[in-house]
Amino acid sequence: MFELSKLLLSSYFLVFPLLILLFIIKIFSNKPKKTCQTTTNTTIFPKSYRMIGHLLAIYQNRHQRFQWFSKLLLNSPTGTIVIHHPFGIRSIETGNPVNVEHILKTRFPIYQKGPNQSTILRDFLGDGIFNVDGEMWKFQRQIASYEFNTKSLRKFVKNVVDFEVSDRLIPILSEAARNQTVLDLQDILTRFAFDNICKIAFGYDPEYLSLSLPQAEFADAFEDAVMISSDRARAYFSNLWKIRRFLNIGSEKKLKEAVNVVRNFAVSIVRQKKQEMLQTSQGFTSEDLLSRFLKSGHSDEKFVTDIVISFMLAGRDSTSAALTWFFWLLHKNKHVEEEILREIVNKKTENCSVFEEVKEMVYTHAALCESMRLYPPVSVDAKEAMANDVLPDGTRVNKGMWVMYIPYSMGRMESIWGLDWAEYRPERWLEIQDGEKWKFVAKDQYSYPVFQAGPRVCLGKEMAFLQMKRVVAGVLERFQVVPVVEDGVEPVYVPHLTSKMLGGLPVRIEER
């Protein structure tokens, strides 16, 4: 009987999209609401129809939905748009810095992850720091903050990053240069970042970046979990993925299998760490992030596993995404690469420690910021309103509405970055000091919310920069990275939980 019911539900699910399309055709001739507006150029804001809102326009732009939303946002006079969903549901997208400050700081208690978003990501992230609010979030953030002091950062660069660069990354690139092998740089950098986060946060070395470039079931499963969870968040009808999950079919079946692999891997790390901590009386000490959480008295295996998975996501995907786009932009802007090479040589001649060397790479720091302006590792961040509110630009917010700010669009706004916003120009972050030296000048964090801002600002921001600058120095000092792409072909920016370059970045490595 259950199998028959399952079959009937499955059949309904398969024909449901067709029913929706027929519904759209039927009402297409109905008079639309007066929500049509023409922006300051040729881009026209779509019509909103009774019952289905902007569903028709979204369906027509389904293959480039994120880029389409971004164009609408960039052409909005207020830097804010309101999207109408079926049955009167609305969501707000903004790129207005004043609104962003209102959401992330001024009215921080109102704009939370919220129950809807938490439900979407719970199968994957559980109750980890990136999927909770309130006291549970405060506790995890407080414990994690101890890991990002100057002493820990110095140790991180010296003992973890430097080893990973010199003993793993450089040998792989050297062999590729020698054999004229084409590498997927995005894959290489993801492996590098994954080893780093596991070492510094959990005291565990997965050896994912090794000369053989091993295939790992965990890595494939993690990628699947990220992609399918992202698709859930973008689904126009949330009930569809919930039906698939109930029936255990399609992408939801794949997600369940992927999450099981990820969780089993994370649980093995937690259990191994607990076993190591039993040796404390025999002289064993560990100061990594996972040890801190276990020592705090929160030893519930599921809870700690959720924390492990959240930090894997943050450490694995964000820095690798940022570096992938950075090397692409260097390829297109040789003058920037030359300036970075001069900075690397100058720092080498000063006989600095590795930590001091990368910390003082001001021009490289600016070049990385500029790269992330155009291609942020996290393209969009969504909050759920816990109460009625009004944004500074006058947009009304109802309780339960999703309010999203979009760093990708904000990095392309003429009102924030000027007429030359499309240029890759690190100098926009710099000024001359004492007539000769560059001085880095940070931008307002609400105009550049790449690392979030306010109480939820990224704890690992400095660690990420130190890691990325060490990679840049180590790679560019010895190699030239040459993308293997046809002339005129631009990589595609794919916005998941963290951004990806569609299909990776195939490169050849050449010795300098």
Side-chain angles (χ1 to χ4, degrees):
M1 187 65 183
F2 174 75
E3 290 300 322
L4 177 60
S5 299
K6 186 173 179 179
L7 180 61
L8 290 172
L9 281 172
S10 179
S11 299
Y12 172 77
F13 166 73
L14 291 173
V15 301
F16 187 76
L18 293 175
L19 295 174
I20 289 294
L21 288 177
L22 290 172
F23 182 60
I24 291 172
I25 293 171
K26 181 179 178 181
I27 66 170
F28 182 68
S29 58
N30 287 359
K31 183 180 178 181
K33 298 177 186 177
K34 294 181 179 180
T35 59
C36 175
Q37 67 183 57
T38 303
T39 54
T40 53
N41 61 22
T42 56
T43 301
I44 299 176
F45 197 81
K47 295 178 181 179
S48 175
Y49 293 89
R50 290 188 175 91
M51 298 296 292
I52 65 166
H54 290 122
L55 178 60
L56 181 62
I58 290 175
Y59 179 78
Q60 291 171 337
N61 292 276
R62 63 193 181 281
H63 297 305
Q64 52 171 4
R65 180 172 165 182
F66 178 75
Q67 286 75 10
W68 176 68
F69 272 147
S70 293
K71 287 179 182 177
L72 293 176
L73 193 62
L74 289 170
N75 285 282
S76 166
T78 62
T80 302
I81 60 175
V82 179
I83 299 298
H84 293 251
H85 301 262
F87 312 116
I89 299 172
R90 294 180 298 147
S91 65
I92 296 170
E93 283 79 26
T94 187
N96 187 325
V98 179
N99 286 347
V100 175
E101 182 174 8
H102 181 87
I103 294 163
L104 297 183
K105 179 186 175 183
T106 308
R107 301 283 275 172
F108 172 75
I110 285 181
Y111 296 96
Q112 302 182 8
K113 290 293 180 181
N116 289 320
Q117 188 171 190
S118 293
T119 298
I120 289 171
L121 299 177
R122 178 154 285 116
D123 287 335
F124 179 36
L125 297 181
D127 293 319
I129 189 171
F130 302 120
N131 202 39
V132 291
D133 298 298
E135 293 303 316
M136 190 176 291
W137 166 75
K138 288 180 182 178
F139 164 73
Q140 293 184 53
R141 187 174 176 86
Q142 182 180 25
I143 296 294
S145 65
Y146 292 116
E147 197 61 35
F148 299 98
N149 57 55
T150 301
K151 182 179 177 181
S152 293
L153 292 174
R154 188 182 295 271
K155 180 181 176 183
F156 168 67
V157 172
K158 179 181 177 182
N159 297 344
V160 177
V161 179
D162 196 45
F163 169 82
E164 197 74 15
V165 170
S166 60
D167 287 46
R168 290 183 178 170
L169 181 60
I170 297 301
I172 287 172
L173 299 183
S174 294
E175 181 171 319
R178 189 164 51 249
N179 299 329
Q180 297 187 328
T181 306
V182 175
L183 295 175
D184 178 0
L185 187 62
Q186 182 167 254
D187 175 61
I188 297 296
L189 293 171
T190 300
R191 291 169 181 269
F192 171 85
F194 180 61
D195 278 1
N196 276 334
I197 191 61
C198 284
K199 284 183 183 178
I200 192 63
F202 319 130
Y204 171 80
D205 185 2
E207 300 181 66
Y208 191 37
L209 182 68
S210 60
L211 218 54
S212 63
L213 297 180
Q215 284 299 114
E217 183 186 17
F218 163 81
D220 293 338
F222 199 96
E223 189 69 19
D224 287 341
V226 170
M227 300 277 279
I228 298 170
S229 295
S230 299
D231 288 341
R232 275 184 175 183
R234 291 198 301 269
Y236 211 70
F237 294 101
S238 61
N239 286 334
L240 294 186
W241 69 259
K242 292 178 181 177
I243 292 170
R244 284 196 293 266
R245 182 176 62 176
F246 173 75
L247 297 172
N248 194 31
I249 60 173
S251 60
E252 287 298 316
K253 180 179 180 180
K254 189 175 183 180
L255 176 62
K256 184 177 180 180
E257 293 168 350
V259 167
N260 284 338
V261 173
V262 171
R263 288 204 161 269
N264 288 338
F265 179 81
V267 165
S268 69
I269 292 177
V270 172
R271 290 176 180 173
Q272 180 177 315
K273 179 60 62 178
K274 285 182 176 180
Q275 187 63 36
E276 289 175 352
M277 291 178 68
L278 291 176
Q279 303 171 21
T280 302
S281 59
Q282 302 172 17
F284 173 83
T285 58
S286 181
E287 294 299 325
D288 54 74
L289 182 65
L290 178 54
S291 298
R292 292 186 191 278
F293 274 107
L294 291 172
K295 289 176 182 177
S296 71
H298 288 73
S299 57
D300 175 72
E301 189 168 85
K302 182 190 177 303
F303 177 65
V304 179
T305 299
D306 291 344
I307 294 169
V308 167
I309 293 172
S310 287
F311 278 93
M312 280 182 184
L313 176 66
R316 170 187 177 270
D317 286 7
S318 56
T319 53
S320 60
L323 283 168
T324 300
W325 286 102
F326 173 80
F327 280 106
W328 166 253
L329 287 169
L330 282 194
H331 167 67
K332 295 179 63 180
N333 298 271
K334 294 300 181 184
H335 64 286
V336 175
E337 183 174 358
E338 291 167 5
E339 187 66 34
I340 291 173
L341 283 169
R342 279 193 287 271
E343 183 172 63
I344 292 170
V345 171
N346 290 338
K347 292 304 172 186
K348 288 288 183 184
T349 58
E350 292 174 9
N351 296 318
C352 302
S353 69
V354 173
F355 177 80
E356 292 166 339
E357 176 188 331
V358 297
K359 191 172 180 63
E360 296 303 317
M361 291 172 64
V362 177
Y363 189 89
T364 304
H365 192 100
L368 286 163
C369 286
E370 182 72 345
S371 173
M372 289 186 286
R373 172 180 74 85
L374 293 168
Y375 299 104
V378 179
S379 58
V380 58
D381 185 33
K383 309 294 183 186
E384 186 174 338
M386 297 294 106
N388 294 340
D389 193 25
V390 179
L391 298 180
D393 68 3
T395 304
R396 301 190 67 83
V397 181
N398 295 331
K399 180 180 179 180
M401 287 179 67
W402 276 27
V403 182
M404 291 164 267
Y405 66 93
I406 306 181
Y408 176 88
S409 301
M410 295 179 73
R412 287 162 164 70
M413 285 188 166
E414 184 180 309
S415 59
I416 299 176
W417 303 101
L419 293 172
D420 65 347
W421 67 264
E423 294 181 30
Y424 177 61
R425 196 169 66 82
E427 289 77 11
R428 76 174 76 243
W429 298 82
L430 300 165
E431 63 182 33
I432 294 293
Q433 187 180 41
D434 300 328
E436 54 181 21
K437 285 190 174 183
W438 288 117
K439 177 185 176 183
F440 180 79
V441 181
K443 302 299 181 184
D444 167 32
Q445 61 182 331
Y446 302 103
S447 298
Y448 181 74
V450 169
F451 292 91
Q452 285 214 48
R456 277 192 183 261
V457 67
C458 177
L459 284 171
K461 177 179 177 179
E462 188 174 357
M463 181 177 284
F465 273 115
L466 292 171
Q467 183 179 177
M468 290 189 290
K469 287 191 281 187
R470 178 65 184 98
V471 170
V472 172
V475 171
L476 292 186
E477 182 182 17
R478 294 192 53 178
F479 307 105
Q480 185 172 8
V481 179
V482 184
V484 182
V485 295
E486 296 180 14
D487 290 341
V489 174
E490 291 283 328
V492 177
Y493 179 87
V494 183
H496 292 298
L497 294 181
T498 51
S499 66
K500 293 286 184 182
M501 186 179 286
L502 183 65
L505 180 60
V507 300
R508 290 192 185 277
I509 307 298
E510 297 178 0
E511 295 271 5
R512 290 196 183 277

